[in-house]
Amino acid sequence: MSDIKAIYIHVPFCRRRCKYCSFISYQSREGDIPAYIDAVKKELSLRSEDTVINTVYFGGGTPSLLTSEQISSLMSAIKNNFHLANDSEITMESNPGTIDFKYLCGVKMAGINRLSIGVQSFNDEELSMLGRIHTVKDALVAIKYAREAALNNLNIDLIYGLPGQTIDDWKDNLVKAIEVNPDHISLYALTLEPEEPLFKDIESGILPEISADTAAGQYELAEKLLEKHGYIHYEISNWAKPGFECLHNLVYWQGGEYLGIGVAAHSYTEKRRTANTADLDKYMSYLSHNSLPPQDNDEVIDPELELAESIILGLRMCNGIGLQDFQKRFNIDIMERYNRRIDELLDAGLIEKNKSVIKLTQSGRLLGNEVFWRFLPDKV
Ligand code: SF4
């Protein structure tokens, strides 16, 4: 019996691919959106469950390429196939180059009550380097419109660690972010794969190398500045004003079950992690024949892996892992079970502990992966 509390809907369309993008998203396929919406509705009906859903998240891709009527029809499909809690959090990601005031009023009417705007940078040169389709002005107008449309739970995403971006450049970004006063801020370090155009720009010398030291300094600066302005650092990459933590992402981070709908969407239910096919045509074809899409991944999460993942996710949370809660959930004393690893990490200054909690230090937050791999099953 599943215990799904969250639904993620993937919208795999973008006007143009950004130069650093590693997400599953198709450009020049916007004409397929109506057929895709039908497929998503069909998948929702095939995965229908008698369970209460507390959070819905439209992610992408660019969900704001959907019309407000399309969002509304997807919300109806969710309500028809699940019990959507009255006070549920309904998030939509949006690209500032695709939204206006009328649109935001429409999506609010459709049920969206949390808007995430992919600002990425408050510097036009940086936006151009990243290959974004929008300008700083577009982002500022989008934020203003979101407030006027009474979207009162607003996140912005920013990326740091860009090629050639100095600490001062980043400080300008943070100052502008604080000025526009969002309720939630997500900060991501730029990471690149060899096939991405920005990687090639760096490799060929068009752009300077990314400096890990500068990125670390930028992260530290963000921690200081955001805390000073009333943002609580609650997850390694996320800050929120009190009461504005992202409930949907908390489901992921706390090991809760979720259902992913759409191309390449991941689900975690009944100790299994699955992923729908990333092939848009295949996805739509299966659903048009009333069949669930093929899975690119279907993995049983055994107890060892579940333990490791809950430690890694728990350490990503700034409050860390409550030792008693952990003992209660897994019937394991984490200090005994990971004794040697924890001592090494304490000596290295990457984690700290007291009687009730174990958590990352500031250095640990900067070098999270150095900590996390040590808890994977074959490393213990
Ligand atoms: S908007 Fe997001 S998903 Fe779309 S191409 Fe850019 S980074 Fe990728």
Side-chain angles (χ1 to χ4, degrees), residues 81-131:
N81 291 291
F82 301 86
H83 303 287
L84 188 62
N86 287 336
D87 58 350
S88 51
E89 176 194 89
I90 318 283
T91 303
M92 185 179 88
E93 291 180 349
S94 63
N95 185 310
T98 62
I99 52 184
D100 60 22
F101 177 64
K102 190 167 165 239
Y103 179 74
L104 292 177
C105 292
V107 297
K108 164 118 182 158
M109 286 287 290
I112 301 297
N113 56 26
R114 182 174 186 273
L115 188 74
S116 176
I117 303 182
V119 173
Q120 315 309 359
S121 168
F122 285 104
N123 176 314
D124 278 327
E125 277 175 30
E126 290 176 358
L127 288 174
S128 162
M129 172 172 66
L130 292 168

Side-chain angles (χ1 to χ4, degrees), residues 160-375:
Y160 64 97
L162 306 185
Q165 185 187 49
T166 64
I167 299 267
D168 280 345
D169 295 335
W170 174 241
K171 188 173 181 188
D172 287 345
N173 270 294
L174 288 171
V175 167
K176 285 185 184 124
I178 290 162
E179 262 170 34
V180 297
N181 197 27
D183 307 294
H184 188 285
I185 301 180
S186 299
L187 303 181
Y188 301 106
L190 182 69
T191 50
L192 295 172
E193 299 296 331
E195 63 279 7
E196 290 158 8
L198 201 57
F199 183 97
K200 291 180 181 137
D201 286 351
I202 294 171
E203 206 179 30
S204 61
I206 295 172
L207 290 172
E209 293 278 342
I210 293 171
S211 159
D213 285 347
T214 305
Q218 291 171 335
Y219 184 83
E220 280 174 353
L221 179 66
E223 285 197 308
K224 269 191 218 131
L225 270 186
L226 294 180
E227 190 187 340
K228 193 171 153 203
H229 288 86
Y231 290 92
I232 296 164
H233 192 187
Y234 73 104
E235 196 269 349
I236 209 162
S237 305
N238 289 280
W239 285 256
K241 297 230 177 118
F244 285 93
E245 295 84 0
C246 177
L247 301 180
H248 184 84
N249 286 341
L250 282 171
V251 171
Y252 299 155
W253 299 327
Q254 291 171 348
E257 296 197 356
Y258 53 89
L259 191 58
I261 303 286
V263 161
H266 290 239
S267 298
Y268 177 59
T269 60
E270 298 176 75
K271 315 271 184 221
R272 269 177 70 213
R273 185 174 300 113
T274 53
N276 285 348
T277 176
D279 182 322
L280 179 59
D281 294 314
K282 206 188 261 184
Y283 175 82
M284 292 197 292
S285 166
Y286 270 71
L287 269 312
S288 71
H289 292 95
N290 290 328
S291 300
L292 283 170
Q295 301 297 292
D296 279 353
N297 182 48
D298 189 347
E299 182 187 10
V300 174
I301 306 300
D302 65 33
E304 277 297 297
L305 188 55
E306 188 189 359
L307 197 61
E309 288 186 351
S310 76
I311 291 173
I312 292 169
L313 291 170
L315 287 174
R316 287 188 64 96
M317 303 300 297
C318 296
N319 284 341
I321 299 169
L323 300 180
Q324 272 191 351
D325 292 346
F326 194 86
Q327 169 97 37
K328 218 158 130 192
R329 180 170 166 202
F330 293 104
N331 202 18
I332 282 174
D333 181 335
I334 190 172
M335 303 307 293
E336 263 176 34
R337 176 75 169 75
Y338 296 96
N339 183 359
R340 188 168 53 85
R341 301 284 154 191
I342 288 177
D343 281 347
E344 281 171 13
L345 291 166
L346 285 168
D347 287 347
L350 296 176
I351 59 171
E352 57 187 304
K353 76 174 174 78
N354 59 30
K355 268 195 211 143
S356 54
V357 166
I358 177 167
K359 61 182 182 177
L360 295 179
T361 59
Q362 189 183 46
S363 308
R365 290 195 289 278
L366 284 168
L367 298 169
N369 289 339
E370 265 303 298
V371 176
F372 302 148
W373 69 265
R374 293 166 197 254
F375 291 99

Side-chain angles (χ1 to χ4, degrees), residues 13-25 60-62 95 120 131-132:
F13 303 97
C14 286
R15 209 148 267 172
R16 188 182 72 206
R17 266 186 92 70
C18 303
K19 292 174 83 174
Y20 60 96
C21 182
S22 60
F23 301 109
I24 302 295
S25 184
T62 307
N95 185 310
Q120 315 309 359
R132 300 289 298 179

